[in-house]
Amino acid sequence: MVESLSFSDTFEPNFRPLVAIELAKGTKEETIEWFTKRIVDKKANGGAQLLVKPLVTENGGENIYLVGASHLRLLLGAEAVGLVKECNDNSMRTFTYSSRKTFKDFADDNHNFLTMSECQYIIKHELENLRAKDEKMIPGYPQAKLYPGKSIVRRLLTNGILVQIFPLHDREELKKLRHSWYGRVKVGYQPLDEIRCYFGETIALYFGFLEYFTFALIPMAVIGIPYYVFAWEDYDKYVMFATFNLLWSTVILEVWKRICAIMTYRWGTLLMKRQFEEPRPGFHGVLGINPVTGREEPVYSSIKRQIRIYLVSLPFVCLCLYFSLYVMMIYFDLEQWALDYHEENESNFSSLMLFVPSIIYAVVIEIMNRVYRYAAEFLTSWENHRLESSYQNHLILKVLVFNFLNCFASLFYIAFVLFDMKLLRQSLATLLITSQILNQFAESLLPYWLQKRHKKRMKKHMCSLKTDMDLSLVEQVNLEKEMGTYFGTFDDYLELFLQFGYVSLFSCVYPLAAVFAVLNNITEIYSDALKMCRVYKRPFAEPTANIGVWQLAFETMSVISVVTNCILIGMSPQVNALFPDSKMDLILTVALAEHLLLAIKFIMAFVIPDKPRDIQIKLAKLEFESLEALKQQVRTTDVTTTTV
Amino acid sequence: MVESLSFSDTFEPNFRPLVAIELAKGTKEETIEWFTKRIVDKKANGGAQLLVKPLVTENGGENIYLVGASHLRLLLGAEAVGLVKECNDNSMRTFTYSSRKTFKDFADDNHNFLTMSECQYIIKHELENLRAKDEKMIPGYPQAKLYPGKSIVRRLLTNGILVQIFPLHDREELKKLRHSWYGRVKVGYQPLDEIRCYFGETIALYFGFLEYFTFALIPMAVIGIPYYVFAWEDYDKYVMFATFNLLWSTVILEVWKRICAIMTYRWGTLLMKRQFEEPRPGFHGVLGINPVTGREEPVYSSIKRQIRIYLVSLPFVCLCLYFSLYVMMIYFDLEQWALDYHEENESNFSSLMLFVPSIIYAVVIEIMNRVYRYAAEFLTSWENHRLESSYQNHLILKVLVFNFLNCFASLFYIAFVLFDMKLLRQSLATLLITSQILNQFAESLLPYWLQKRHKKRMKKHMCSLKTDMDLSLVEQVNLEKEMGTYFGTFDDYLELFLQFGYVSLFSCVYPLAAVFAVLNNITEIYSDALKMCRVYKRPFAEPTANIGVWQLAFETMSVISVVTNCILIGMSPQVNALFPDSKMDLILTVALAEHLLLAIKFIMAFVIPDKPRDIQIKLAKLEFESLEALKQQVRTTDVTTTTV
């Protein structure tokens, strides 16, 4: 970290607001003064050395502050967060201020060298790493304790003094992006690089995955259609379809890794070493020295974390899973009871009663999901992960397993306990289609409509009839601060994951699933795009090199689907008819086929390299250069030492 | 590569011979002159800048040359091969000549900073990388063509001009090593660090693995004994034993990775970036620029290699496997025929005939093994791998699969086609015990005895009655050049691998296998040690960070053994008696248990980190420092450029 920026950096003539901070109404004057002073203060004094301006509104409620930074400060911040940019020789390198001239498109007066989302990410990083020094509490709030190394912003947030921090939209850029993303009628790829520039890598990668996944499902859908149209029920055709699906899903997941590597290499995040970053703001521990980077930061024992994960979180998750299964069994009992009741005394009331178990079950599942999600967030936060990615992965894994069970347990029960293929096909179709429609409605169309209404009311309230483009900064900030917050890609990935489950787990029972999935995903791209651009506050960009634990989740799903499909084929009457004499031969044949398929899957996953060869070479080259530089440096240091 | 050693490096008063080169008798004078000149020549002129002395024997046959190097040359060579050594601050770093002062135990007059085996490795590396420049052929041998970049030593070897290159023993050191290794009566761990200093990392790692594996088998052996003694045949006891074995084998293989990382970190090879090394001498291609290191070396397209692997080698291996299975089926037919013949006309001749099929099969297998091995070596060499490790892994994989089939196919046939558990147990015991006894005999005791006889004859011939220690250099070299060549650890690992197969694949049928394995391995350690120290020429040290493809092979074996053991338990009469009504329930239960075990295995392998935490931190620290150095270097370069 270079802390040597002293030359006239506190005043910048053209202040460009990047991030808005909303404080609670009635925040004490001394707190505001202390907080803004810490933000503006020199790095050497433990400040963030950013620029702050209060947003002066008509009614004078001065509880919103705009944060910006000088161009120089942003460049130094880019070095601190370890941004990777393209050099003049087309290689990707970690940006440093002193080597700035070697980077492509760099010029001292080119303020577009860093994208706006990168600038906002830098400011977020600097604000979050504003840590307490010798303050014992937040001035004006004696109950808000501080200790050395505690993130100030986090303490302000948990104490409700700070309401929110959010990056501002760039109306001009957003309009351009909207146009090229979903404004044109022309069908084409999404402008992923532009999305990345505006929303950051995590969101661009989600849209990239969504698009890739949709394309990858098309062969499945195309092959699935004739099965539905001609009502093919032949044994060999089903086996062929299932086999193709199972191997295909391995191929698409392996190929995605390669595509992801190509994209994130171009974006620089593949080379970003996030593990060397400063810890996430929620991370706490005794102030110590990081053994890897040698920087002063909170330190927390990895063994303690392991104990928390394996002795508390893991048993808790298992218990919840058991409870969820138990609830499902009660539901099936209730269903049976309602059916019996209806058969015994047939009446209007009894046929109404038939729906009661399903409704109760749906409500209970929804409640369980919410409670569990809250508990999972609490536990993962309590596990105290140092890196945001590690926190996310552990949280996702916890929620994933529970959702998987809730979604598919009843289908598994119908398939492998009740052996009712008709009911399975019917439930599958109902679940898939209704969940897709509901999701699209609840996720973007409803919020969009609410948003529109709210905006209209706001505008009327402000008595302004200007167009979207002419909104003043005050109006823009006031509008955006009321918009919903986008809580990350979790729910979007979860939706895709469950969809992949519907498509692959029982693919040989319902070949049409892939068709619905493709249709849904095409509209999903547009509704998600609308959601990002119109409904939510702009989210902070989050650099990422891959889709993290989702890759593992999709791969696990594809392994499980080998097992389920083999069993389903083994249970089908057509296949049973082939082995009239002995069930044993049938089961052994199915088991053999399953093992063969699994073996092929694992060999394929092993043989297909995760990164294309040219990316591998580029990474190796960088590693080689790093090692050579280290040798060189030791040499230089040595020479210096011996000279002195 | 630093090529700036010009200060009085061609003459060294105390020449220490490290490596011996044996040329064919009657090699032309001009060839010898040219070759020695290339060895002695300056680096700048494309030479190796080593020291050469002819070995003057009594009968004047000057076909052996001793190669040594100055201390400075060796240090520069250590930098070129990328040796990693311990620094004064206890961290491991790549050695560079200019930073030599920062390394532990370094002093300009300390000639023991590099171990003798490291020096010999450096000399081997330099000799092998002596590449042709503008020579069109080897002087004196117009048929031995050369082209720019072709390894001279390799061409000399293939043309029979060079008979062999081998490192010399250090009698003093060897005696010490022998004493601490197997000379003492005291039972204890092997002196792995000393073995590594003398024989290099590959061999030390083999002995480390052998020792670890023996310890790891002890629990299995201890639990297995009562099963044999009390002839336990209960279903639940067998299930418990098999389950323990299967999970235990996963644990030991995962823990081995961690132990291996600890050892190789200490030895420096974990950090050695072998992929940046110069290519193996057998590698050929058009002279070009390596895209990673930027050095000039032969370049060969990776796609061509892939095509050769997947379109030629893979089909060939599959064909061989099929052929081997075919031969096995013929053997079983013959066996059946001999049995029928014996039953029909019982006579002495017919009972002799009973043995004929086995003998024929054994001979055919031996021939097939040898032919296949030769073919595999040819194919792997033709695949043209750049790195020695890659070559080795591909060769090992090919030979491994074939050997696995030859060894276990008949056992599988007996178990799962004939369903004869008695015969299986019997064959297993016979195969395991006889193969162990034969191996130990053929591998070390027999060569040792031959060696002893040969030595005595040699001594008589030389008319010298001195003790081992007083042998002159001439006598030593003449003795060693006649010793057998150790062809690497392949056969030793293969023996262990097959043993692991006998122990784990059918563990629930023959629990005593682990006991025999432990007993065998204890003597194996001693006989292998004897073999290394007494029977073979000293091998060149080969730095390595892990046991390579063997880890994968052992892991695969442990996965296969889950399947076989589950089937065996499912077939046992005791378990069958538990499901008297329906075979189907039995098979489904077994299949469920198998899937559960496999899932647990994979989760365990995923959860147990491959490297201990402190090693992870040390590696991360080095990576961080490298990246920082790269940033720093770019900065320095930039400053220099702007100054200029």
Side-chain angles (χ1 to χ4, degrees):
Chain A
M1 289 256 281
V2 179
E3 290 162 90
S4 57
L5 63 168
S6 50
F7 33 109
S8 74
D9 194 48
T10 31
F11 179 74
E12 180 101 345
N14 43 357
F15 173 82
R16 185 195 186 198
L18 290 165
V19 172
I21 295 180
E22 187 184 0
L23 294 175
K25 277 192 177 132
T27 303
K28 289 184 186 150
E29 203 54 49
E30 67 174 310
T31 314
I32 296 176
E33 202 169 299
W34 168 78
F35 186 44
T36 49
K37 185 175 179 307
R38 284 300 302 265
I39 294 175
V40 175
D41 219 353
K42 290 244 167 59
K43 268 259 148 191
N45 302 337
Q49 207 154 353
L50 302 172
L51 309 171
V52 177
K53 269 191 185 167
L55 185 77
V56 187
T57 53
E58 294 143 38
N59 42 14
E62 277 185 28
N63 60 335
I64 292 182
Y65 290 81
L66 300 177
V67 182
S70 69
H71 186 51
L72 173 63
R73 180 70 194 87
L74 287 172
L75 291 177
L76 291 172
E79 178 173 345
V81 299
L83 279 197
V84 173
K85 287 274 189 183
E86 194 176 358
C87 284
N88 283 326
D89 61 350
N90 293 326
S91 66
M92 305 296 297
R93 269 165 214 288
T94 309
F95 178 80
T96 59
Y97 182 70
S98 49
S99 68
R100 62 195 181 280
K101 298 257 167 66
T102 60
F103 285 86
K104 207 170 180 174
D105 298 329
F106 184 88
D108 276 326
D109 55 348
N110 175 12
H111 288 220
N112 291 326
F113 175 68
L114 297 173
T115 64
M116 188 173 173
S117 68
E118 278 169 346
C119 297
Q120 289 167 335
Y121 172 69
I122 292 164
I123 288 184
K124 176 188 169 227
H125 175 265
E126 294 296 341
L127 286 176
E128 280 182 343
N129 278 292
L130 208 53
R131 287 171 190 280
K133 290 195 298 180
D134 37 13
E135 296 100 333
K136 289 272 166 295
M137 44 148 219
I138 285 171
Y141 294 84
Q143 79 282 13
K145 295 271 178 292
L146 286 177
Y147 52 86
K150 174 74 189 173
S151 162
I152 290 171
V153 166
R154 186 155 172 97
R155 174 56 80 227
L156 288 169
L157 276 169
T158 51
N159 277 63
I161 304 163
L162 191 63
V163 178
Q164 60 178 344
I165 301 184
F166 60 94
L168 293 175
H169 268 299
D170 180 336
R171 300 264 140 194
E172 195 92 24
E173 279 297 314
L174 185 61
K175 206 180 173 189
K176 268 192 230 157
L177 177 66
R178 275 209 309 257
H179 177 72
S180 66
W181 200 355
Y182 61 87
R184 298 173 302 181
V185 188
K186 172 177 151 277
V187 177
Y189 294 109
Q190 297 174 84
L192 289 179
D193 288 335
E194 290 169 45
I195 299 172
R196 177 241 162 185
C197 282
Y198 196 84
F199 287 113
E201 288 80 12
T202 304
I203 287 165
L205 215 50
Y206 163 69
F207 281 100
F209 184 69
L210 178 57
E211 184 178 277
Y212 170 78
F213 190 63
T214 309
F215 276 111
L217 282 178
I218 288 178
M220 285 193 194
V222 169
I223 297 179
I225 290 173
Y227 282 82
Y228 179 77
V229 174
F230 305 119
W232 283 346
E233 297 274 335
D234 309 328
Y235 151 74
D236 49 347
K237 290 208 183 83
Y238 263 96
V239 169
M240 269 173 56
F241 181 66
T243 311
F244 169 78
N245 264 10
L246 299 175
L247 298 183
W248 182 244
S249 65
T250 311
V251 173
I252 60 176
L253 291 174
E254 288 299 312
V255 172
W256 165 250
K257 280 192 215 159
R258 295 166 67 92
I259 291 179
C260 182
I262 294 173
M263 279 204 286
T264 51
Y265 178 81
R266 193 172 64 223
W267 297 341
T269 46
L270 189 63
L271 297 174
M272 244 176 123
K273 300 289 169 178
R274 303 288 313 259
Q275 75 262 36
F276 302 140
E277 256 181 29
E278 290 176 64
R280 59 188 289 267
F283 182 69
H284 56 83
V286 189
L287 209 62
I289 301 292
N290 182 318
V292 175
T293 59
R295 294 189 197 120
E296 197 182 47
E297 64 174 44
V299 171
Y300 187 76
S301 145
S302 133
I303 293 158
K304 273 192 202 161
R305 187 180 306 126
Q306 301 281 334
I307 290 174
R308 286 180 173 189
I309 292 174
Y310 290 112
L311 297 188
V312 180
S313 296
L314 186 65
F316 174 79
V317 171
C318 292
L319 214 73
C320 288
L321 295 180
Y322 177 78
F323 183 71
S324 161
L325 277 181
Y326 194 77
V327 168
M328 189 194 75
M329 295 316 295
I330 293 176
Y331 157 67
F332 277 108
D333 283 353
L334 270 180
E335 185 104 296
Q336 193 56 46
W337 175 84
L339 217 69
D340 291 350
Y341 183 85
H342 177 68
E343 267 171 26
E344 273 171 35
N345 16 351
E346 215 158 316
S347 68
N348 276 347
F349 173 73
S350 75
S351 45
L352 256 176
M353 278 294 282
L354 275 181
F355 291 97
V356 172
S358 299
I359 294 169
I360 295 178
Y361 186 54
V363 172
V364 169
I365 277 205
E366 189 56 35
I367 295 172
M368 284 199 319
N369 262 340
R370 277 168 196 265
V371 172
Y372 180 82
R373 181 98 171 240
Y374 183 79
E377 271 171 25
F378 174 80
L379 275 178
T380 317
S381 170
W382 176 72
E383 282 162 19
N384 202 14
H385 294 274
R386 187 181 172 273
L387 294 177
E388 184 64 30
S389 61
S390 163
Y391 169 84
Q392 286 293 341
N393 285 347
H394 279 259
L395 176 61
I396 291 171
L397 209 58
K398 283 193 190 73
V399 181
L400 202 64
V401 172
F402 194 72
N403 270 283
F404 177 82
L405 204 76
N406 276 341
C407 248
F408 295 113
S410 62
L411 291 177
F412 274 88
Y413 188 81
I414 293 170
F416 305 125
V417 180
L418 303 181
F419 297 113
D420 191 340
M421 290 304 121
K422 274 242 170 76
L423 183 61
L424 177 63
R425 195 173 300 188
Q426 196 184 313
S427 318
L428 197 60
T430 321
L431 268 172
L432 179 66
I433 296 165
T434 51
S435 77
Q436 289 185 346
I437 292 173
L438 278 178
N439 260 325
Q440 298 242 350
F441 182 73
E443 194 179 71
S444 44
L445 298 180
L446 186 68
Y448 180 62
W449 178 70
L450 287 174
Q451 173 71 19
K452 269 244 154 122
R453 259 192 50 189
H454 175 77
K455 221 174 190 170
K456 256 190 202 146
R457 227 176 35 223
M458 282 280 285
K459 275 191 186 163
K460 268 188 194 146
H461 181 76
M462 285 179 173
C463 295
S464 73
L465 283 162
K466 301 166 199 166
T467 65
D468 231 317
M469 274 306 299
D470 297 333
L471 275 174
S472 76
L473 185 63
V474 176
E475 285 166 324
Q476 184 196 335
V477 173
N478 274 320
L479 211 60
E480 285 184 16
K481 85 166 203 239
E482 298 297 329
M483 285 167 112
T485 307
Y486 180 69
F487 284 114
T489 49
F490 180 85
D491 288 300
D492 297 316
Y493 275 117
L494 185 64
E495 202 182 315
L496 274 187
F497 174 72
L498 297 178
Q499 185 192 70
F500 184 59
Y502 290 126
V503 171
S504 65
L505 281 179
F506 309 98
S507 69
C508 60
V509 169
Y510 190 53
L512 217 56
V515 179
F516 285 108
V518 169
L519 290 178
N520 174 69
N521 288 359
I522 291 170
T523 55
E524 177 88 22
I525 291 176
Y526 287 96
S527 69
D528 278 352
L530 189 75
K531 179 175 85 175
M532 291 311 306
C533 297
R534 288 282 197 176
V535 179
Y536 287 121
K537 275 194 209 60
R538 182 177 190 173
F540 276 109
E542 191 62 41
T544 184
N546 49 52
I547 61 172
V549 80
W550 290 109
Q551 183 79 39
L552 180 71
F554 276 82
E555 280 168 8
T556 310
M557 181 74 94
S558 103
V559 169
I560 296 174
S561 65
V562 171
V563 182
T564 53
N565 277 295
C566 284
I567 301 178
L568 285 176
I569 287 179
M571 289 189 334
S572 73
Q574 298 89 343
V575 177
N576 272 270
L578 284 179
F579 297 87
D581 306 326
S582 120
K583 286 263 174 228
M584 234 181 85
D585 283 357
L586 164 70
I587 300 179
L588 290 179
T589 314
V590 170
L592 190 70
E594 187 225 334
H595 281 83
L596 264 180
L597 274 173
L598 282 178
I600 294 173
K601 267 182 103 82
F602 279 107
I603 292 172
M604 267 165 53
F606 183 78
V607 164
I608 301 175
D610 287 356
K611 294 183 184 99
R613 197 162 160 79
D614 60 321
I615 302 281
Q616 279 177 35
I617 288 178
K618 281 170 182 164
L619 291 179
K621 193 173 173 185
L622 194 84
E623 199 189 344
F624 178 72
E625 282 172 2
S626 301
L627 287 172
E628 290 294 309
L630 187 66
K631 280 190 203 171
Q632 205 66 41
Q633 197 194 38
V634 175
R635 201 171 293 171
T636 326
T637 325
D638 185 58
V639 169
T640 328
T641 334
T642 42
T643 326
V644 175
Chain B
M1 289 255 280
V2 179
E3 291 162 87
S4 58
L5 63 168
S6 50
F7 31 111
S8 74
D9 193 48
T10 31
F11 179 73
E12 179 101 347
N14 42 358
F15 172 80
R16 186 195 184 196
L18 289 165
V19 172
I21 295 180
E22 187 185 359
L23 294 175
K25 276 189 180 135
T27 304
K28 287 185 187 149
E29 203 54 47
E30 68 172 310
T31 316
I32 296 178
E33 204 170 296
W34 168 76
F35 186 43
T36 49
K37 186 175 177 310
R38 286 300 304 265
I39 295 177
V40 175
D41 219 353
K42 289 246 168 59
K43 269 257 146 193
N45 302 339
Q49 205 155 357
L50 302 171
L51 309 172
V52 177
K53 269 190 187 169
L55 184 77
V56 186
T57 52
E58 292 145 37
N59 42 14
E62 277 188 25
N63 60 334
I64 293 182
Y65 291 80
L66 300 177
V67 182
S70 70
H71 186 51
L72 174 63
R73 179 71 194 86
L74 287 173
L75 291 177
L76 291 172
E79 178 174 344
V81 298
L83 279 197
V84 173
K85 286 278 192 181
E86 195 176 357
C87 283
N88 284 326
D89 60 350
N90 292 326
S91 66
M92 305 295 298
R93 268 164 214 288
T94 309
F95 178 80
T96 60
Y97 182 70
S98 50
S99 67
R100 62 196 181 279
K101 296 259 168 66
T102 59
F103 286 86
K104 210 171 179 174
D105 298 329
F106 184 87
D108 276 326
D109 55 347
N110 176 11
H111 288 221
N112 291 324
F113 175 68
L114 298 173
T115 65
M116 189 173 171
S117 69
E118 279 169 346
C119 296
Q120 288 167 336
Y121 172 69
I122 291 164
I123 288 186
K124 176 189 168 222
H125 175 265
E126 294 295 341
L127 285 177
E128 281 181 342
N129 278 293
L130 206 55
R131 287 172 190 279
K133 291 193 299 180
D134 37 14
E135 295 100 332
K136 290 272 168 293
M137 46 146 217
I138 285 172
Y141 294 85
Q143 80 281 13
K145 294 269 178 294
L146 286 176
Y147 52 86
K150 173 73 188 173
S151 163
I152 290 172
V153 165
R154 187 158 170 95
R155 176 53 83 228
L156 286 171
L157 275 169
T158 50
N159 276 64
I161 304 163
L162 192 62
V163 179
Q164 58 177 346
I165 300 184
F166 59 95
L168 292 175
H169 268 298
D170 180 336
R171 299 263 141 193
E172 196 92 24
E173 280 297 315
L174 184 61
K175 207 180 171 191
K176 269 193 229 156
L177 176 66
R178 276 210 307 257
H179 177 71
S180 67
W181 200 355
Y182 61 86
R184 296 174 304 179
V185 190
K186 175 176 148 273
V187 178
Y189 296 109
Q190 296 174 85
L192 289 179
D193 288 335
E194 290 168 45
I195 298 172
R196 176 242 161 185
C197 282
Y198 196 84
F199 287 113
E201 288 79 13
T202 305
I203 287 164
L205 216 51
Y206 163 69
F207 281 100
F209 183 69
L210 178 56
E211 184 177 277
Y212 171 79
F213 189 64
T214 309
F215 276 112
L217 282 178
I218 287 178
M220 285 192 193
V222 168
I223 297 177
I225 289 174
Y227 283 81
Y228 178 76
V229 175
F230 304 119
W232 283 345
E233 298 273 334
D234 309 329
Y235 152 74
D236 48 347
K237 291 208 182 82
Y238 264 96
V239 170
M240 269 173 56
F241 181 66
T243 311
F244 169 78
N245 265 10
L246 299 174
L247 298 183
W248 181 243
S249 64
T250 312
V251 173
I252 61 176
L253 290 173
E254 287 300 312
V255 172
W256 165 250
K257 280 192 216 158
R258 296 167 66 93
I259 291 180
C260 183
I262 294 174
M263 279 203 286
T264 52
Y265 178 80
R266 195 173 62 222
W267 297 341
T269 47
L270 189 63
L271 298 174
M272 242 174 123
K273 300 289 172 180
R274 303 288 314 261
Q275 75 262 38
F276 301 141
E277 258 180 30
E278 290 174 64
R280 61 187 289 269
F283 182 70
H284 56 84
V286 189
L287 209 62
I289 301 292
N290 181 316
V292 175
T293 60
R295 296 189 198 120
E296 196 183 47
E297 63 174 41
V299 170
Y300 188 77
S301 144
S302 131
I303 294 158
K304 272 192 204 163
R305 188 180 305 125
Q306 302 279 334
I307 290 174
R308 287 181 173 191
I309 292 175
Y310 290 112
L311 295 189
V312 180
S313 295
L314 187 64
F316 175 78
V317 171
C318 292
L319 214 73
C320 287
L321 294 180
Y322 177 77
F323 183 70
S324 162
L325 277 180
Y326 194 77
V327 167
M328 191 193 73
M329 296 314 296
I330 294 177
Y331 157 68
F332 276 107
D333 283 353
L334 268 182
E335 186 105 290
Q336 193 57 48
W337 175 84
L339 216 70
D340 291 348
Y341 182 83
H342 178 69
E343 265 170 26
E344 272 170 37
N345 19 354
E346 212 158 316
S347 67
N348 277 345
F349 174 72
S350 74
S351 47
L352 257 176
M353 278 292 283
L354 276 179
F355 291 97
V356 172
S358 300
I359 295 170
I360 294 177
Y361 186 54
V363 171
V364 169
I365 277 206
E366 189 56 34
I367 293 171
M368 286 197 325
N369 262 340
R370 274 166 200 265
V371 172
Y372 179 80
R373 181 98 171 239
Y374 182 80
E377 271 171 25
F378 173 79
L379 275 178
T380 316
S381 170
W382 177 70
E383 280 162 22
N384 203 10
H385 295 274
R386 188 181 170 272
L387 294 176
E388 183 64 29
S389 61
S390 163
Y391 169 83
Q392 286 293 341
N393 285 347
H394 279 259
L395 177 61
I396 290 172
L397 209 58
K398 283 193 190 76
V399 181
L400 203 63
V401 173
F402 194 70
N403 271 281
F404 178 83
L405 203 77
N406 276 340
C407 248
F408 295 113
S410 63
L411 292 177
F412 274 89
Y413 188 80
I414 293 171
F416 305 125
V417 180
L418 303 181
F419 296 115
D420 191 339
M421 289 306 120
K422 274 241 170 77
L423 183 61
L424 176 63
R425 194 172 302 188
Q426 197 184 312
S427 318
L428 197 61
T430 321
L431 268 172
L432 179 66
I433 296 166
T434 52
S435 77
Q436 289 186 345
I437 292 173
L438 278 179
N439 260 325
Q440 298 243 346
F441 182 72
E443 194 179 72
S444 44
L445 297 181
L446 184 68
Y448 180 61
W449 177 70
L450 287 175
Q451 173 70 19
K452 269 244 154 123
R453 259 191 51 189
H454 175 75
K455 220 177 194 169
K456 256 191 201 142
R457 227 175 38 222
M458 282 280 287
K459 275 188 188 167
K460 268 189 198 148
H461 181 74
M462 286 179 174
C463 296
S464 71
L465 285 161
K466 300 165 198 166
T467 66
D468 233 316
M469 276 305 300
D470 296 333
L471 276 173
S472 76
L473 185 65
V474 176
E475 284 166 323
Q476 186 196 334
V477 173
N478 274 320
L479 211 60
E480 285 182 15
K481 85 166 203 240
E482 298 298 330
M483 286 167 110
T485 306
Y486 180 68
F487 284 113
T489 49
F490 180 83
D491 288 299
D492 297 317
Y493 275 116
L494 185 64
E495 203 182 323
L496 274 187
F497 174 72
L498 296 179
Q499 185 191 71
F500 184 59
Y502 289 127
V503 171
S504 64
L505 282 179
F506 308 98
S507 70
C508 59
V509 168
Y510 189 53
L512 218 55
V515 180
F516 284 108
V518 169
L519 291 179
N520 174 69
N521 288 359
I522 291 171
T523 55
E524 178 89 21
I525 291 177
Y526 287 96
S527 68
D528 278 352
L530 189 74
K531 180 174 85 176
M532 292 311 306
C533 297
R534 289 281 198 176
V535 178
Y536 287 121
K537 274 195 210 62
R538 184 177 190 171
F540 276 110
E542 192 61 41
T544 183
N546 50 53
I547 61 173
V549 81
W550 290 108
Q551 182 81 38
L552 179 72
F554 276 81
E555 280 167 8
T556 310
M557 180 75 94
S558 103
V559 169
I560 296 175
S561 64
V562 171
V563 182
T564 53
N565 277 293
C566 283
I567 302 178
L568 284 177
I569 287 179
M571 288 188 336
S572 72
Q574 297 89 344
V575 177
N576 271 272
L578 286 178
F579 296 88
D581 306 326
S582 117
K583 287 263 174 225
M584 233 181 84
D585 284 357
L586 165 70
I587 299 178
L588 290 179
T589 314
V590 170
L592 190 71
E594 187 224 332
H595 282 82
L596 265 179
L597 274 172
L598 282 178
I600 295 175
K601 267 181 104 80
F602 280 107
I603 292 173
M604 266 165 51
F606 182 78
V607 165
I608 301 175
D610 287 356
K611 294 188 185 92
R613 196 161 162 77
D614 60 322
I615 302 281
Q616 279 178 33
I617 289 178
K618 282 170 183 163
L619 291 179
K621 194 174 174 185
L622 193 85
E623 198 188 343
F624 178 72
E625 283 172 2
S626 301
L627 287 172
E628 289 295 308
L630 187 67
K631 280 190 199 170
Q632 204 66 41
Q633 196 195 36
V634 175
R635 199 170 295 170
T636 327
T637 326
D638 186 58
V639 169
T640 328
T641 334
T642 40
T643 327
V644 174

